[in-house]
Amino acid sequence: MDPLEDARASLTPDETLVWAERPHPAILARARLPQVIRGVLGLLVIGGFLWFSFLPNWPGGFAGLVLGGFLVAAVVYCFWLVAAPAVARPAAGRMVYAVTDRRVFIREDWPFRRLRSFTSADLCDPQVTPALPGRGTVVFVDRKLPWWQRRAGGAYQIEAFFGIPDAQRVAEAIDRLRAGADPAAWPPGEDG
């Protein structure tokens, strides 16, 4: 399906689509490499912990079952992190990046369905990084999270459009959205 059609399906009434595209699968997969590192390190820590501490003195009864359940969950989570690049490739075809006159959003349909929206108040100064010839990555949220919002992903929230064509033009559109530009003043020809 066309990314413009997918993005239009997520618009609210009276919202105007400015730009929409899908990520490049290889670039999205490469962006997941930090998760692989965390997953491998987690598996090493769990393996070392088991080998040197618990296998010789594994608790019996209910305590052993609880510990075993916790370890199984941790190992499954670590393997999920290790598989992140392999999951990102097919997910790229079912993901849509969009900029509208009110927000920036990322809609994912696989492996889980979710819509992440960012208003002008959420956006940071967009940064463009070249990725492949004719494609780039636009980071539009890059901030340190307060301690109560941190999770396994780390202390920073980073949101980006990975491997998109015309990355500089998209960054300029995000910059206009941040500045609160009137939607009627957007240059013609950006809808698509």
Side-chain angles (χ1 to χ4, degrees):
M1 186 179 218
D2 180 39
L4 289 173
E5 306 257 339
D6 278 354
R8 284 189 180 104
S10 299
L11 296 179
T12 60
D14 299 327
E15 188 174 22
T16 305
L17 182 65
V18 175
W19 171 88
E21 189 58 69
R22 295 192 193 285
H24 189 280
I27 297 170
L28 184 63
R30 191 174 27 197
R32 302 295 189 250
L33 287 178
Q35 292 174 325
V36 172
I37 294 168
R38 284 194 295 267
V40 168
L41 289 175
L43 289 171
L44 290 173
V45 167
I46 291 168
F49 186 69
L50 282 173
W51 184 260
F52 293 112
S53 297
F54 274 101
L55 284 182
N57 303 313
W58 190 267
F62 184 71
L65 283 174
V66 170
L67 181 61
F70 172 75
L71 287 172
V72 166
V75 167
V76 167
Y77 178 71
C78 288
F79 275 118
W80 176 254
L81 290 175
V82 170
V87 171
R89 283 184 179 271
R94 308 269 314 260
M95 185 181 292
V96 174
Y97 297 151
V99 177
T100 73
D101 60 342
R102 297 183 187 165
R103 62 187 170 137
V104 171
F105 69 82
I106 301 171
R107 195 182 92 199
E108 300 173 67
D109 286 341
W110 191 86
F112 305 106
R113 172 170 250 156
R114 69 180 181 161
L115 176 69
R116 293 178 288 157
S117 284
F118 308 93
T119 63
S120 59
D122 300 323
L123 301 173
C124 299
D125 188 28
Q127 303 162 14
V128 178
T129 306
L132 288 175
R135 290 188 176 265
T137 295
V138 179
V139 177
F140 53 87
V141 174
D142 184 5
R143 66 173 55 98
K144 188 168 185 173
L145 296 170
W147 66 270
W148 63 87
Q149 291 180 341
R150 295 179 187 173
R151 44 194 169 126
Y156 286 87
Q157 177 187 13
I158 297 174
E159 300 288 346
F161 294 155
F162 295 99
I164 57 169
D166 295 327
Q168 188 60 47
R169 189 184 95 181
V170 174
E172 291 167 4
I174 293 171
D175 226 6
R176 286 193 296 276
L177 179 62
R178 279 185 69 228
D182 180 20
W186 295 57
E190 287 196 6
D191 188 8

